[in-house]
């Protein structure tokens, strides 16, 4: 009779669909060691590629998915990701005030108000502004992005 290993003895795997540049080997090794898990990443070259991977059944293949811009809203609307609970991620309390759940609406489902993701980086995206509307002295920091008068 074949030996069947009990499920509790198996190392858990965390599967991620993500940008390759965000895999930091030292961080991954430490995470795996501290949590007794294996981290397995699948990469994509663009958000549309990730979206297509999720649409063809990949939503059941991944535990974590990276996305930016409007893509998380699209993923959620299409049922490819589910809402998240900031209470389950204690480090979310350390976010800059602009990224706290009640203020950061980019990762919020407008219909239900539920959170659909966690901010994970500033990114390397350029920020443009209308110089006819935003005074130059307001552009020294990103505060103008969160100014209700400029919304």
């Amino acid at each position: 009779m074949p030996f069947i290993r009990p499920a509790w003895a198996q190392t858990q795997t965390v599967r991620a669909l993500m940008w390759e540049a965000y895999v930091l080997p030292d961080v991954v090794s430490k995470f795996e060691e501290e949590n007794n898990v294996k981290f397995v990443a699948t990469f994509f070259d663009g958000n549309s590629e990730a979206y297509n991977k999720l649409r063809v059944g990949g939503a059941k293949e991944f535990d974590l998915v990276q996305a930016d811009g409007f893509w998380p809203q699209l993923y959620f609307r299409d049922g490819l990701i589910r809402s998240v609970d900031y209470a389950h991620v204690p480090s979310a309390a350390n976010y800059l005030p602009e990224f706290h759940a009640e203020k950061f609406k980019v990762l919020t489902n407008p219909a239900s108000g539920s959170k659909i993701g966690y901010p994970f980086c500033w990114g390397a995206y350029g920020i443009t502004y209308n110089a006819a509307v935003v005074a130059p002295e307001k552009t020294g920091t990103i505060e103008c992005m969160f100014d209700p008068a400029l919304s």
Side-chain angles (χ1 to χ4, degrees), residues 4-60:
I4 299 174
R5 203 165 89 165
W8 52 264
Q10 185 176 0
T11 301
Q12 293 185 25
T13 302
V14 175
R15 300 156 305 168
L17 179 60
M18 61 189 296
W19 299 97
E20 186 171 6
Y22 288 99
V23 174
L24 305 173
D26 329 357
V27 174
V28 169
S29 296
K30 185 176 179 182
F31 174 78
E32 289 177 329
E33 185 179 310
E34 289 178 358
N35 296 283
N36 192 31
V37 298
K38 177 73 179 149
F39 183 83
V40 177
T42 298
F43 305 120
F44 58 85
D45 292 325
N47 285 299
S48 57
E49 180 186 350
Y51 177 72
N52 288 328
K53 284 184 178 191
L54 292 172
R55 295 264 312 162
V56 297
K60 295 177 181 163

Side-chain angles (χ1 to χ4, degrees), residues 21-143:
Y22 288 99
V23 174
L24 305 173
D26 329 357
V27 174
V28 169
S29 296
K30 185 176 179 182
F31 174 78
E32 289 177 329
E33 185 179 310
E34 289 178 358
N35 296 283
N36 192 31
V37 298
K38 177 73 179 149
F39 183 83
V40 177
T42 298
F43 305 120
F44 58 85
D45 292 325
N47 285 299
S48 57
E49 180 186 350
Y51 177 72
N52 288 328
K53 284 184 178 191
L54 292 172
R55 295 264 312 162
V56 297
K60 295 177 181 163
E61 300 290 323
F62 301 104
D63 303 302
L64 301 170
V65 178
Q66 277 185 329
D68 53 27
F70 68 87
W71 292 94
Q73 297 287 343
L74 180 62
Y75 294 171
F76 188 78
R77 186 195 71 203
D78 288 357
L80 302 173
I81 61 173
R82 61 189 169 123
S83 61
V84 298
D85 184 351
Y86 274 45
H88 292 287
V89 179
S91 62
N94 299 323
Y95 286 163
L96 292 171
E98 295 84 4
F99 294 115
H100 285 191
E102 65 279 356
K103 287 178 107 178
F104 193 65
K105 301 301 181 191
V106 173
L107 295 173
T108 302
N109 175 8
S112 67
S114 60
K115 298 308 286 182
I116 59 172
Y118 302 97
F120 66 94
C121 71
W122 279 104
Y125 301 102
I127 299 172
T128 59
Y129 64 95
N130 183 342
V133 176
V134 182
E137 61 272 10
K138 292 265 194 175
T139 64
T141 72
I142 63 162
E143 287 296 318

